[in-house]
Amino acid sequence: MPNENPTVKKTIDLTFYARVLISVAIALLVYGFYLDVGSNKLIDPVTNPDDSKKGETITTIDIHHWDDGVEEVPIGGDSGNSGNSSSGNSSSGNSSGGNSSGGNSSSGNSGNSSGGNSSGGNSSGGNSSGGNSSSGNSGSSSGGNSSGGNSGGNSSSGNSGGNSSGNSSGGNSSGNSGGTTPVNPPTPATPTLEQTNNTLRNNIQNTYGITIKYGMETAGYTVGGLSTNTINSASVVNTTLNKLNSALSLYPNGFFREIKNGGIPLTLYLVDSYSEYGVTGVTDSNYSFANVSVAVAYPFEETFYHESYHYIERYIFKRGISFQSWEGYNPSGFRYGSLMRDQSFARTGSPNAYFVNDYAQTSAEEDRASTFEYMMRGSKSACFNRNMPVWNKAVAMSNAIDAALNCVNASTTEYWERHL
């Protein structure tokens, strides 16, 4: 029988394993390339089928301009912090190294002396005989170790170290420890205005289901080709948050949370101003998000009402509701983008006006948002008299909101409907 060469067999085995490893590596490379190519599909924008039906772009930006004066918000100050008080407990009343004979110690814990810790109060090497300590609360005694001597004195009424009649090498300690002195609870610190603002912001977010950003959180925010300036005053932030809280309370319970749960969460950017003068608010939205920014250098409430309607209308459209007959509410021959000054209620005060102001004539979307802004005003405008052109528009808008949101219904008069 021929002898097998072990060197040749080992070489054959290594070649076989090498081929297996190469095959596995190639398979992994091919699989990795497939995953890499396939993952590119995950970042491609998804077009909502409703977009093609409506002929709308994925994202729209609505910029609101202000034509009147500017209202500055007053600036205030901050409040300081108060300190905390702490008290120290004494912990050195143990006897170590000493033999106690006949001496019973009772209630030998140190009292709650403020800042008064007893140190060195251990007896070492000394025998205590016949000395019963009762109610012996120790104060701030230091160096009072008895060494080699007998202490025969009784301590009473919270005297630390009492009168020692023995051979005390550490000297006599005298004075009342004040073991029964009450300890005042620490005074709670007064929150700063920044902390107050953050608490208020969190309460608003939790109540209404929106996200709010202000101060340095908005630094670098740009929208519609406009840059923004941040709010640097905590007092201005506080004033704005309180105005926002009041404005949000006018909408039905669960209103903004329902839109959020319907797929369009709202983020509100509170900024000081935009790079273009006269711009008061901008809504950047599509069917999956909405970013609304408001410049607090201008009257806040009316801008918020205006921009909030752009947000509401995005959800109305997502629900498949449209304003197909809207053009019929306008004067014959009118086209958005032109200006009919005599049809602006803000200019004429006429109940027969077709538009609440000039800005409403720029587009159908701005017409509805401007109308909603007037619907939310504190007092009734004459253009909302029954069967007037603007009244007809407001009724159509209210019906659309009723149809889109479950928390709103036709049997309830909402705040924006109270003058209709």
Side-chain angles (χ1 to χ4, degrees):
M1 180 176 180
N3 293 329
E4 292 183 356
N5 188 338
T7 302
V8 174
K9 186 176 187 313
K10 184 176 183 181
T11 301
I12 293 174
D13 291 341
L14 290 176
T15 302
F16 172 75
Y17 289 124
R19 288 176 179 174
V20 171
L21 289 174
I22 291 171
S23 299
V24 171
I26 292 174
L28 290 174
L29 286 173
V30 172
Y31 181 65
F33 177 75
Y34 171 78
L35 289 178
D36 185 55
V37 173
S39 65
N40 290 333
K41 298 178 182 179
L42 299 177
I43 62 174
D44 289 338
V46 178
T47 302
N48 191 305
D50 291 338
D51 288 335
S52 59
K53 294 179 182 179
K54 301 182 186 67
E56 295 180 339
T57 55
I58 295 296
T59 302
T60 58
I61 298 177
D62 300 287
I63 301 176
H64 185 222
H65 292 78
W66 174 252
D67 296 326
D68 298 331
V70 177
E71 176 185 329
E72 294 292 344
V73 182
I75 297 176
D78 299 332
S79 60
N81 296 321
S82 63
N84 297 320
S85 62
S86 59
S87 61
N89 297 318
S90 62
S91 60
S92 57
N94 298 319
S95 65
S96 61
N99 298 320
S100 64
S101 59
N104 297 322
S105 64
S106 62
S107 302
N109 296 321
S110 63
N112 294 322
S113 61
S114 172
N117 297 318
S118 68
S119 60
N122 299 318
S123 65
S124 59
N127 297 320
S128 65
S129 61
N132 296 321
S133 63
S134 61
S135 301
N137 295 319
S138 66
S140 300
S141 64
S142 60
N145 297 319
S146 63
S147 59
N150 297 320
S151 65
N154 296 321
S155 64
S156 62
S157 301
N159 295 321
S160 76
N163 295 320
S164 65
S165 59
N167 295 323
S168 162
S169 66
N172 296 324
S173 64
S174 63
N176 296 322
S177 67
T180 59
T181 302
V183 178
N184 294 327
T187 303
T190 302
T192 65
L193 190 54
E194 287 82 1
Q195 292 171 330
T196 299
N197 289 342
N198 190 53
T199 299
L200 178 56
R201 184 251 298 270
N202 290 338
N203 289 339
I204 296 173
Q205 291 182 149
N206 293 335
T207 300
Y208 298 101
I210 67 175
T211 299
I212 305 169
K213 296 181 180 293
Y214 58 78
M216 293 308 296
E217 297 168 349
T218 70
Y221 181 67
T222 60
V223 59
L226 302 171
S227 59
T228 61
N229 301 309
T230 61
I231 304 174
N232 297 317
S233 168
S235 178
V236 173
V237 170
N238 184 261
T239 299
T240 304
L241 287 174
N242 279 291
K243 288 181 178 180
L244 172 63
N245 199 25
S246 297
L248 289 169
S249 69
L250 301 180
Y251 297 77
N253 291 335
F255 188 86
F256 291 93
R257 191 175 297 278
E258 181 177 340
I259 299 178
K260 174 186 176 181
N261 294 339
I264 311 180
L266 171 63
T267 300
L268 180 62
Y269 291 79
L270 301 177
V271 302
D272 178 75
S273 56
Y274 298 90
S275 56
E276 181 181 330
Y277 177 79
V279 175
T280 66
V282 181
T283 297
D284 177 17
S285 68
N286 62 22
Y287 291 128
S288 60
F289 80 93
N291 293 330
V292 170
S293 50
V294 176
V296 301
Y298 300 90
F300 176 81
E301 289 89 348
E302 58 191 77
T303 301
F304 176 75
Y305 298 145
H306 183 103
E307 300 303 329
S308 73
Y309 182 78
H310 285 307
Y311 174 57
I312 296 168
E313 185 164 272
R314 175 63 73 174
Y315 186 67
I316 290 174
F317 288 158
K318 184 173 185 176
R319 296 275 295 178
I321 300 166
S322 62
F323 297 93
Q324 295 181 353
S325 59
W326 186 260
E327 298 288 346
Y329 298 118
N330 293 331
S332 178
F334 172 81
R335 293 292 179 269
Y336 284 106
S338 60
L339 179 60
M340 300 177 67
R341 296 180 185 273
D342 61 335
Q343 294 300 326
S344 172
F345 174 78
R347 288 182 177 274
T348 67
S350 171
N352 296 313
Y354 279 81
F355 306 94
V356 293
N357 53 24
D358 292 351
Y359 192 64
Q361 301 181 42
T362 58
S363 69
E365 290 76 18
E366 296 300 344
D367 189 3
R368 290 188 287 270
S370 298
T371 301
F372 188 79
E373 174 189 328
Y374 270 64
M375 293 165 70
M376 294 294 288
R377 283 188 168 185
S379 59
K380 178 182 177 180
S381 300
C383 58
F384 292 118
N385 289 346
R386 191 172 185 82
N387 295 325
M388 293 295 102
V390 172
W391 180 87
N392 288 326
K393 291 181 177 181
V395 170
M397 292 165 55
S398 295
N399 291 339
I401 297 174
D402 288 346
L405 284 106
N406 295 325
C407 66
V408 183
N409 59 76
S411 62
T412 302
T413 299
E414 305 300 346
Y415 187 81
W416 57 80
E417 298 174 325
R418 69 199 187 285
H419 296 319
L420 301 183

